[in-house]
């Protein structure tokens, strides 16, 4: 369309026969030539750029042709209307009878004005920030930036400023994890920057009380295995399933560190944070033993706390878990770089942290009870190794949604009220079962063996029992 056009002439055309675009254009020029005089001759108007090119879209069906004609005009209203009316005098296109009718004459400037108004509305609603920060929000943001800027390097690796002097360290995966812990006042973290644990970090774990705080994924599992081989780990803490350490809130960070487990128990349980079966570390069982906190010097963490008696013990409560303390204000809360902060603000922050810990220490441990396997490996052993000839549907927490005969797997998956997270089947995985699983949104399938597949959906992870159980 000509950028200088003021109007668009829209016309409909029909012909009793099969015609092409060139036939229609020829008919327009041929049958309007001389009709309106020299001043409104279509060829002259095009040469002087007062009329744009003629756009024709024509289709043929069942021996008839129909389509549209669009002509851009920079003439005034009267001249444009006359030119449009002249198109309706066309009676033939090529050898076929035809008729042309004007559908509309569009004012291009009006359309542009509508676009301007619509765009202005969008800009008005999205481009102006009406939010106003309060004084407290401004102070909090500046203080947080000071804490984040405290990140340092320990022999070339991202670390908190207290790593050099602290008796305890927290080993994390990357720089973003160190920044997250710094944001919450934890300044003794160091990053390995990948799954290959450097000698610097390995040597540091030999000298300090070490907690590995890792993501619940395959990368975290690989780091933990290598730390076990080249370093000395005392405790293991894991981010909640489906999250990374760098994405956690303050409460989630503190909860994960409180739920850390001694590495010996973690290893002896045979638990893997993110095995190929997609399972994750189960919630740690509460104990009555005192566990040194990863953010406290080992000498302080090992002090015995007085035993607490529970009034409800006779009614079935097992006891209360000792929660590790939060970092003390002299070790973990940085005051050396926050000269602009008031003493009252620091004290208030410390009190809030200890209140959180008190609340956590009063949490009552639930009694242990016999329950179903909590990992995919456990379910696979029960269903496939047990030769049950059944299919089992599992939810996101690897709880059992349904059990059914293996030959009813298709209907069981299709009719499940809750979309299964994983399917364990004692039998061969067929294309039909794989397709219905992909349609329902199943993420993992564990089968005795794979069948012949024409296609494999990328959204479903397929694992054979041999691969899973013989790792």
């Amino acid at each position: 369309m000509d950028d200088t056009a003021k109007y668009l002439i829209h016309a409909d055309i029909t012909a009793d026969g099969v015609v092409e675009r060139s036939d229609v254009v020829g008919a327009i020029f041929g049958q309007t030539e001389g009709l309106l005089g020299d001043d409104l001759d279509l060829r002259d108007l095009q040469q002087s750029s007062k009329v744009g090119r003629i756009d024709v879209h024509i289709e043929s069906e069942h021996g008839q042709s129909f389509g549209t004609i669009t002509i851009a005009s920079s003439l005034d209203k009267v001249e444009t209307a006359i030119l449009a009316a002249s198109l309706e005098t066309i009676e033939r296109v090529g050898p076929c009878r035809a008729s042309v009718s004007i559908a509309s004459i569009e004012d291009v400037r009006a359309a542009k004005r509508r676009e301007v108004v619509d765009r202005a509305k969008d800009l008005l609603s999205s481009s102006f920030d009406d939010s106003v920060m309060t004084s407290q929000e401004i102070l909090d943001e500046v203080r947080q930036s000071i804490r984040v800027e405290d990140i340092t390097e320990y022999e070339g690796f991202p670390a908190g400023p207290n790593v050099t002097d602290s008796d305890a360290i927290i080993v994390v995966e990357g720089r973003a994890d160190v920044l997250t812990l710094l944001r919450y006042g934890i300044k003794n973290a160091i990053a390995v920057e990948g799954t290959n644990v450097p000698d610097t970090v390995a040597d540091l774990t030999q000298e300090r009380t070490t907690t590995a705080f890792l993501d619940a994924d395959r990368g975290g599992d690989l780091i933990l295995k290598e730390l076990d081989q080249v370093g000395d780990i005392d405790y293991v803490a894991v981010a909640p399933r489906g999250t990374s350490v760098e994405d956690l809130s303050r409460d989630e960070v503190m909860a994960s560190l409180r739920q850390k487990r001694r590495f010996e128990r973690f290893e002896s349980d045979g638990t893997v944070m993110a095995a190929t079966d997609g399972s994750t570390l189960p919630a740690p069982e509460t104990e009555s033993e005192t566990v040194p906190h990863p953010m406290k010097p080992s000498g302080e963490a090992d002090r015995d706390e007085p035993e607490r008696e529970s009034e409800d013990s006779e009614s079935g409560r097992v006891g209360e878990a000792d929660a590790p303390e939060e970092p003390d204000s002299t070790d973990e809360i940085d005051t050396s770089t926050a000269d602009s902060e008031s003493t009252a603000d620091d004290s208030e922050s410390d009190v809030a942290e200890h209140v959180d810990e008190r609340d956590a220490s009063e949490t009552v441990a639930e009694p242990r009870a016999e329950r179903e396997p909590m990992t995919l490996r456990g379910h696979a052993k029960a269903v496939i190794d047990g030769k049950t000839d059944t299919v089992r549907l599992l939810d996101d927490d690897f709880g059992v949604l349904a059990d059914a005969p293996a030959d009813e797997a298709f209907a069981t998956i299709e009719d499940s009220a809750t979309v299964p997270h994983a399917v364990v089947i004692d039998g061969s995985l067929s294309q039909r079962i794989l397709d219905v699983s992909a349609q329902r949104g199943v993420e993992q399938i564990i089968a005795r063996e794979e069948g012949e597949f024409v296609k494999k959906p990328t959204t479903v992870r397929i694992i054979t029992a041999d691969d899973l159980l013989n790792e």
Side-chain angles (χ1 to χ4, degrees), residues 411-440:
T412 304
I413 297 170
E414 184 178 42
D415 298 337
S416 176
T418 302
V419 176
H421 170 76
V423 173
V424 182
I425 180 170
D426 181 25
S428 176
L429 176 60
S430 66
Q431 181 74 61
R432 188 164 177 259
I433 295 175
L434 178 58
D435 290 342
V436 73
S437 298
Q439 291 170 4
R440 289 303 310 275

Side-chain angles (χ1 to χ4, degrees), residues 176-362:
D177 299 338
V178 176
L179 287 172
T180 296
L181 297 186
L182 275 174
R183 188 177 301 121
Y184 305 135
I186 303 171
K187 301 183 178 182
N188 58 339
I190 185 169
V192 296
E193 292 282 77
T195 56
N196 184 21
V197 177
D199 293 339
T200 298
V201 177
D203 294 342
L204 197 60
T205 63
Q206 305 285 350
E207 307 167 0
R208 317 287 177 87
T209 301
T210 303
T211 297
F213 189 14
L214 305 169
D215 300 341
D217 59 12
R218 187 62 175 170
D221 185 28
L222 295 175
I223 294 173
L224 186 61
K225 287 181 178 179
E226 184 161 350
L227 276 171
D228 181 29
Q229 295 174 8
V230 302
D232 183 10
I233 308 171
D234 298 292
Y235 305 100
V236 180
V238 184
R241 180 184 176 192
T243 61
S244 299
V245 173
E246 64 185 275
D247 300 325
L248 301 182
S249 66
R250 180 187 182 281
D251 290 342
E252 289 172 330
V253 167
M254 296 306 175
S256 296
L257 290 172
R258 282 197 296 268
Q259 294 174 355
K260 69 187 183 299
R261 305 178 74 180
R262 293 187 182 278
F263 181 68
E264 294 79 7
R265 288 191 56 223
F266 182 89
E267 188 178 33
S268 65
D269 287 348
T271 311
V272 181
M273 287 190 297
T276 53
D277 62 3
S279 61
T280 58
L281 175 66
E285 301 165 3
T286 56
E287 297 180 330
S288 59
E289 62 177 333
T290 301
V291 181
H293 195 280
M295 298 177 294
K296 296 281 288 180
S298 59
E300 297 182 20
D302 290 337
R303 289 200 300 263
D304 293 332
E305 294 183 9
E307 296 182 357
R308 292 186 297 260
E309 295 182 358
S310 172
E311 295 179 358
D312 298 330
S313 59
E314 295 181 0
S315 59
R317 296 174 61 183
V318 174
E320 296 184 348
D322 289 274
E325 297 180 0
E326 293 259 1
D328 58 36
S329 60
T330 60
D331 185 32
E332 302 305 339
I333 304 298
D334 187 10
T335 58
S336 61
T337 59
D339 295 335
S340 62
E341 301 182 25
S342 66
T343 304
D345 290 335
D346 288 340
S347 300
E348 184 179 359
S349 174
D350 293 341
V351 171
E353 291 184 2
H354 287 291
V355 168
D356 288 346
E357 285 300 319
R358 244 189 342 264
D359 292 342
S361 68
E362 294 174 2

Side-chain angles (χ1 to χ4, degrees), residues 36-74:
L36 304 177
D38 294 339
D39 291 340
L40 292 178
D41 183 73
L42 193 55
R43 293 184 187 276
D44 293 339
L45 291 173
Q46 275 197 328
Q47 290 177 358
S48 62
S49 300
K50 293 182 179 180
V51 171
R53 69 188 298 270
I54 301 173
D55 291 325
V56 178
H57 298 279
I58 196 80
E59 295 180 0
S60 300
E61 187 176 330
H62 303 301
Q64 286 190 323
S65 300
F66 50 88
T68 59
I69 302 170
T70 303
I71 302 176
S73 168
S74 58

Side-chain angles (χ1 to χ4, degrees), residues 1-13:
M1 182 181 72
D2 189 350
D3 291 337
T4 62
K6 296 186 289 185
Y7 303 100
L8 285 178
I9 302 172
H10 297 285
D12 297 324
I13 182 171

